[in-house]
Amino acid sequence: MITLKMAVRNLARRKVRSLITILGVAIGISAVVSISSVAKGMQHDIKVALGGSASLIVKSKTAPDPLSSLLDQSVEERVRRIPGVKHTVSVWFNNRVVTIGGRRQPIMIAAVERGQYDFVVGSRVEPIRGKLPGDGEAALGSLAWNQIRPRLGDTVDLGGVKLRLAGEFRTSSQLANMCMITTLDSVKALRGRAVSCVFVQTSDPRRVKREIERRIPGVEAIETSKAVQGMINNLRTVEIAGLALSCIAGIVGGLGVANTMLMSVLERRREIGVMKAVGATRARVMKIFLVESMLISLIGGALGCVLGVAGTYVVVDLLQRLEGKAITMIVTPDTILRGFLVAIGIGVFSGLYPAWKAAKVDPVKALRHE
Amino acid sequence: MAEVVIELEGVRKVYNSGPTRVEALRGVDLRVRRGEFLMIVGPSGSGKSTLLHIMGALDTPTSGRVKVAGREISNLSDRELARIRNRYVGFVFQEFNLIETLTVLENVMFPMALADGEDEERAKRLLLKVGLSEEHFDKFPNQLSGGERQRVAIARALANDPEVILADEPTGQLDTKNSHRIMEVFKSLNEDGRTIVMVTHDLSLTRWADRVVVLRDGKIVEEGSPDEVTL
Ligand SMILES: Nc1ncnc2c1ncn2[C@@H]1O[C@H](COP(=O)(O)OP(=O)(O)OP(=O)(O)O)[C@@H](O)[C@H]1O
Ligand SMILES: [Mg+2]
């Protein structure tokens, strides 16, 4: 208790120095938090792009990817009959120029059966204005909405089909936030009997994949977990490079802590002598100084988490506004935990040598009057 | 004959600072008896502080035997030595040596925190006993006068109810009036049965002691009651 009070007051006594040291740690931690939240966001985007909650995506064998594939809508019914298939959703993707409220805009349209939006995106599709679309209606993702700035109820002209703009939605994926969603029936006149692909949920993707490809000619079923894993592995290189960078930032922060603690030990030699004279063991003296370096690092860690999240949010937002770039960031308790763990690491490692120096102080020399 | 609480036999202390070799103590034999008020006097550099530090297990002799709390200190671990300093003796210094970031009360509780735990009531009682009034308890040392600080230091030395108080020139930085008051505090502690060893070069203080030891060039040159020692 007294030890902690002492640590707090020592930091307060040298405000500027403490603040600079804390900031040094905070910058390192914010790098860690920022990089891992953006990396998580990228992984999430990949998952969404590759099928949301689906474990298999059925597309035409000849198409390079599900977005450009075309299937007859009867495929879904045939897939559904295969044992082990729990759930299926047909999706029609279409990239086209639409006119909304008189403004022309290229956009990706995703049409699914009503009520299946969450499943396709793989996370909650939340209406933040109006509602999610029913037949004859469309909704815009928040990024697209901000770019186009339409009004609710505007007419969306798909070139042959006119829909009513029923709402704006948001999801945890920025990729999805750039799209327009509607129902399959709304765009019947455009697609005829065609859909792009069928999203399939099953607990046994390997077997069901083989079964689908055996029973239905001309289709291919992609195992999303494998595809996602492949993409994420590519991403890992980027993440490792980022973490190496934040390691360097952490080391710089740690050196700052070590320097501050060493100065503190030098300044407080007499105090250390006094502690020993009244019965502090070497281990106790070490602990007292480690508490102080931990305190600096934990405050720096907390500040770094806040700065990392807030800073990334601001940068992501700016990039969107100025450059139209969509970056998904995802902050999980895990990310924050990682930030704090690095902070604790900094506290211990940078505090160890100064604390050991403190423990070694010869009380007799320290107490001699100059 | 009262029990011996600290015993030194043939104690030598050599400081090697670079090429120079200083013999601070050259064979000191001394026994401190329970309940006595012992004063160690001598000129500057005669080895008084060195002797006191060794008596309180803060320093170890180069050679010779030192028994504190019934134990030979040269074989003790850091933990055991710290335990002796924490519980068996209580140091009081000329420079007060309070911890500046702790309040008066916290300074007194610090040695308790190192031992069985902080006892705020006891700390308050000790402060009142050495004559510091309650209004000062939450102040920081730099808000106190020299005399007040030394009272806090004495209360801190008493924190874990030690056998012996070891005071190194405790009045060295105080004016005559405050000196006198602090000496009265020590006297009253002694009258309560506390053993006191005090180092000073101020010969006028010897009259407070039961026994005086004169140190010169690291050796005891004279010993006796205050009026026996000449100088
Ligand atoms: N750590 C040290 N390194 C080198 N020499 C030392 C050390 N400590 C003490 N000395 C020397 O040992 C001798 C005795 O010192 P000590 O401090 O015990 O004397 P003292 O009687 O307390 O003096 P004063 O009255 O000035 O406090 C002195 O010559 C001093 O310079
Ligand atoms: Mg001295």
Side-chain angles (χ1 to χ4, degrees), chain A residues 364-365 368-369, chain B residues 15 17 22 24 42-51 169 201:
Chain A
V364 174
K365 278 190 193 148
R368 275 172 69 84
H369 39 260
Chain B
Y15 287 113
S17 47
V22 182
S44 185
S46 57
K48 304 183 297 293
S49 296
T50 303
L51 182 58
E169 309 255 14
H201 62 253

Side-chain angles (χ1 to χ4, degrees), chain A residues 102-122:
Chain A
R103 234 187 106 174
R104 285 168 60 77
Q105 175 76 31
I107 198 162
M108 169 66 76
I109 300 166
V112 298
E113 204 176 302
R114 194 175 180 185
Q116 299 301 328
Y117 301 124
D118 289 2
F119 178 73
V120 170
V121 174

Side-chain angles (χ1 to χ4, degrees), chain B:
Chain B
M1 203 67 191
E3 195 186 327
V4 174
V5 290
I6 298 174
E7 188 175 359
L8 289 79
E9 239 181 76
V11 167
R12 298 181 158 273
K13 181 72 184 180
V14 180
Y15 287 113
N16 286 308
S17 47
T20 54
R21 192 181 125 92
V22 182
E23 258 194 282
L25 297 176
R26 316 163 181 248
V28 173
D29 301 313
L30 183 63
R31 287 170 167 198
V32 181
R33 288 185 280 271
R34 169 166 293 157
E36 75 169 329
F37 193 149
L38 173 67
M39 208 166 278
I40 300 169
V41 296
S44 185
S46 57
K48 304 183 297 293
S49 296
T50 303
L51 182 58
L52 198 76
H53 292 154
I54 289 175
M55 290 168 86
L58 191 59
D59 205 350
T60 48
T62 310
S63 66
R65 290 194 328 115
V66 180
K67 253 171 111 175
V68 187
R71 309 184 67 182
E72 173 61 46
I73 67 164
S74 49
N75 314 322
L76 297 185
S77 67
D78 172 61
R79 268 191 65 187
E80 290 166 312
L81 291 172
R83 194 182 159 87
I84 289 176
R85 298 194 294 266
N86 186 228
R87 299 178 191 229
Y88 196 76
V89 302
F91 278 103
V92 177
F93 301 96
Q94 180 176 350
E95 298 84 357
F96 320 128
N97 282 336
L98 298 175
I99 296 177
E100 295 296 319
T101 46
L102 296 182
T103 64
V104 165
L105 203 55
E106 287 162 355
N107 262 286
V108 179
M109 289 194 292
F110 186 77
M112 299 178 184
L114 298 174
D116 310 316
E118 302 153 31
D119 182 343
E120 190 170 323
E121 287 316 306
R122 179 176 155 72
K124 285 179 176 167
R125 271 202 311 274
L126 289 172
L127 283 163
L128 291 172
K129 185 166 157 186
V130 298
L132 201 78
S133 56
E134 205 140 357
E135 69 200 82
H136 300 303
F137 288 4
D138 293 325
K139 286 184 181 170
F140 286 91
N142 62 8
Q143 296 169 295
L144 300 179
S145 73
E148 288 160 350
R149 286 187 216 192
Q150 199 57 299
R151 287 174 200 270
V152 179
I154 296 170
R156 178 180 66 186
L158 293 168
N160 291 325
D161 195 19
E163 183 71 49
V164 192
I165 297 280
L166 301 171
D168 194 349
E169 309 255 14
T171 60
Q173 294 201 354
L174 303 177
D175 57 31
T176 333
K177 202 172 88 187
N178 273 307
S179 273
H180 190 85
R181 287 188 183 151
I182 290 297
M183 288 310 291
E184 278 177 335
V185 172
F186 280 110
K187 190 71 200 170
S188 89
L189 290 176
N190 182 240
E191 276 161 4
D192 292 345
R194 191 87 49 184
T195 313
I196 298 196
V197 179
M198 188 180 290
V199 159
T200 184
H201 62 253
D202 183 352
L203 298 177
S204 71
L205 296 179
T206 54
R207 65 191 168 85
W208 295 88
D210 303 327
R211 187 158 70 105
V212 178
V213 164
V214 182
L215 207 61
R216 188 163 292 147
D217 292 331
K219 275 189 164 150
I220 293 177
V221 291
E222 222 178 322
E223 182 185 339
S225 67
D227 22 80
E228 277 168 8
V229 293
T230 52
L231 277 160

